[in-house]
Every structure is written in C-alpha cells, then in structure tokens.
Amino acid sequence: MTIAFRVSKKTVFLGLVLLCRFGSFRIRYFFMEKMKHHSIYSIDAIAHNSRLKALSPGFKIIFALLSLAACLLSGNIFTPLFVTLSAAAISIAIGGTRPGEYLRLMSIPAAFLLCGSAAVALGFSRERIGQYCLDLRFFYIYTTNSGLMTAFKTAIKALGAVSSLYIITFSTPPGDIAEAMRRLHVPKLITELMVMIYRFIFILAQVHHELYTSAGSRLGYSDFWTSLRTFAATASSLFVISLKRAGTYYDALESRCYTGELLFLEDERRLEAKHIVFAAAYFVLVGTVMYIERRYL
C-alpha cells in the first residue's frame, strides 16, 4: 500500500521561491555564525582546560577507538545510543566540558548526519512507488519503512562514532595526540600532515571571519543575489589570503629550526590502576549491551 501526498505546481513554485529567499539566511546563520571569532579556538580551549588532560593520550586514543569499533560492529541502535550517552557523560561530568558547549559543537556533525540520513531514506522516481510517496507533479519523492529504519540506524551509528572521537577532541590537545601517534609508530608523514591541516583550518576560519565581517559591514548580505556575489568574491579572496598566511606559518616553522620533523614537548603521564579498572568496567557494560541486542532484539 502506497500513501501518496500530492502537491500542486503553485505550491512547488512558492516553495522554491521561499527556499531561495530564506535559505541563504539560514545556511549563513548555521555555517557562519557558529564560526565567530570568540569560538574559533573553543575546541583547543576545551582540550587544554579539560580535567582529563593529565590522562595518558595513548590510553584515551585506544579507549575512543574501541568505543568507535563497538558502534560500527553493533547490529542495532542500542550500543551506539549507549556509547553516545556515556561519551557525553564522560566529557561533561568527568572532563568538565560545559553542556551547552558540548551540544553546540555536537550540533555541527549532527546536521550533516541528518542530511546524509535523508539521502539514504529518500528516493526519486517518475512513477508512484514506495510506501510513502510525495507527488511533486514533475516527479515523485518516495521512501519505505525499511529505508527509514536503515537511515535511522545509520545516523545513530555515526552519531555514536562521532561521540567516541569527541572524547579525544575535548580532552587532548593536538600536540599530545601527535606525540601519542608517534609512540604508536604511526608514520611521521601522516602525523605532520594531521597537525598542519588542523592548524590551517584555524587559519581559514580566522580569514573567513575577517572577510565575512568586512562584507557584512558593507551590506554584502542584504539580499539573496547580493549574498551570492559576495560569496563568490569572499571565496576567491579567502584562497589568496589563506595561501599567504600559510606561507607565513611555514616561515615561522623554519625560523624555529624546522628540519622536516615536528617535535612536541610532552609531560610524563603515568597510567593509574583506577583508569584501567574504569575502562574495563565500561567495556564490560558495552559488551553486555551488544550481547543483549544480538541475543534478544
């Protein structure tokens, strides 16, 4: 049985007009307002101020990767949900991350997961198929119960994986991660590329903020078509200015005797027995949840 919804041509036209009129404002709010100058370095600040910073970075990386593997190997949504909630509890209650800051930073990947889940669940056809069908006159957008369930499971698994990696992000500065990767014998090229790309992201964010503020002060986003022209001009300027900033960054490395290998100063951190006991108890709970969902669900 197919449940169909018909939309008139006038409604489709009005929807497109409203999307063009208000879509740029919402997209600009989500992707630009979240990158204001006061939050550009918030991730670094959270990691440096975390109560879990003194913990061994190698232990935290292994802990997060095992949680990530549990999410990916799960056959249902309960293990990823448990990992998501427990990772949030670890970052907030133990690590000291503020709940509002955690939710704000989690909303960014959650928005992309929502868009990706919609792509998994929805399909397009010139014929009326599927259990749920939206008639747009020109074509049909359809979905099925199995498609919705697959999209939901995929989104929950991905959210659990992101939450696992956020344990590292909110508790470990990049230098500690690079040093831990060096001790785990990760190839030097991968480690240095990771650190440089991470730093260049902040360079891009700061340059974008400056260009966005400058364009906004000149009414560059007053309407939709002006926003498009401003976006094109900002994108071209962003590339040129960021390239110059990257050159300055590399000159600063050479002035500090950079010879092709990044070295980081790391404090000596011992792994205590209570940390191992906590990790063992945590993964016993994760294994129990995985067993229950495979055995009874």
Side-chain angles (χ1 to χ4, degrees):
M1 179 180 178
T2 301
I3 301 176
F5 305 91
R6 174 170 291 185
V7 180
S8 64
K9 293 182 180 180
K10 184 177 180 181
T11 303
V12 174
F13 177 75
L14 290 177
L16 292 175
V17 172
L18 290 176
L19 180 64
C20 294
R21 181 65 183 87
F22 299 106
S24 61
F25 171 76
R26 298 307 302 170
I27 293 173
R28 187 169 69 249
Y29 172 79
F30 184 80
F31 289 101
M32 297 181 180
E33 292 298 318
K34 287 183 179 295
M35 296 301 295
K36 286 183 178 179
H37 184 68
H38 70 271
S39 64
I40 287 178
Y41 300 100
S42 60
I43 297 177
D44 265 353
I46 291 173
H48 282 283
N49 295 327
S50 174
R51 292 195 290 262
L52 295 173
K53 178 186 175 183
L55 195 59
S56 170
F59 173 78
K60 288 183 285 187
I61 290 175
I62 294 174
F63 183 91
L65 291 180
L66 289 177
S67 300
L68 173 64
C71 291
L72 297 180
L73 294 175
S74 173
N76 211 313
I77 64 172
F78 297 100
T79 299
L81 278 176
F82 177 78
V83 171
T84 300
L85 296 177
S86 58
I90 291 172
S91 298
I92 295 173
I94 302 178
T97 304
R98 290 181 296 179
E101 195 77 11
Y102 185 88
L103 292 175
R104 183 181 67 84
L105 293 172
M106 181 61 75
S107 66
I108 300 174
F112 286 99
L113 291 178
L114 182 62
C115 296
S117 300
V120 172
L122 300 179
F124 300 90
S125 175
R126 298 184 65 87
E127 300 178 357
R128 181 178 296 178
I129 58 176
Q131 293 170 309
Y132 305 97
C133 184
L134 180 62
D135 184 2
L136 296 179
R137 296 287 181 174
F138 308 103
F139 57 90
Y140 294 90
I141 299 178
Y142 71 92
T143 187
T144 61
N145 290 331
S146 61
L148 292 173
M149 184 55 65
T150 300
F152 180 69
K153 288 182 177 180
T154 302
I156 295 299
K157 278 190 175 184
L159 189 63
V162 172
S163 301
S164 301
L165 296 179
Y166 266 27
I167 296 176
I168 305 175
T169 304
F170 290 155
S171 63
T172 314
D176 292 349
I177 296 176
E179 185 63 23
M181 293 174 67
R182 184 184 67 81
R183 293 189 177 187
L184 293 173
H185 301 288
V186 176
K188 180 179 66 175
L189 178 62
I190 296 177
T191 303
E192 293 189 359
L193 284 176
M194 181 198 74
V195 174
M196 288 188 175
I197 291 173
Y198 180 80
R199 291 303 177 190
F200 289 159
I201 288 174
F202 289 96
I203 293 175
L204 286 172
Q206 185 171 2
V207 172
H208 171 265
H209 171 76
E210 295 171 357
L211 293 174
Y212 173 69
T213 303
S214 176
S217 65
R218 294 171 174 81
L219 302 178
Y221 299 100
S222 58
D223 55 63
F224 178 73
W225 297 110
T226 304
S227 299
L228 290 181
R229 289 192 294 269
T230 303
F231 174 79
T234 301
S236 60
S237 301
L238 180 66
F239 175 76
V240 175
I241 298 175
S242 299
L243 195 60
K244 292 181 180 179
R245 295 281 181 91
T248 304
Y249 182 83
Y250 185 78
D251 292 341
L253 284 175
E254 287 193 325
S255 67
R256 290 166 175 80
C257 302
Y258 173 70
T259 58
E261 182 178 3
L262 294 174
L263 301 176
F264 299 93
L265 180 64
E266 183 186 16
D267 298 332
E268 188 66 26
R269 296 166 184 171
R270 296 181 180 179
L271 187 61
E272 301 180 10
K274 62 180 181 180
H275 301 144
I276 299 177
V277 171
F278 174 83
Y282 176 81
F283 285 111
V284 167
L285 288 175
V286 173
T288 303
V289 175
M290 292 183 67
Y291 175 78
I292 292 175
E293 72 176 8
R294 287 180 181 271
R295 180 73 175 176
Y296 301 104
L297 301 176

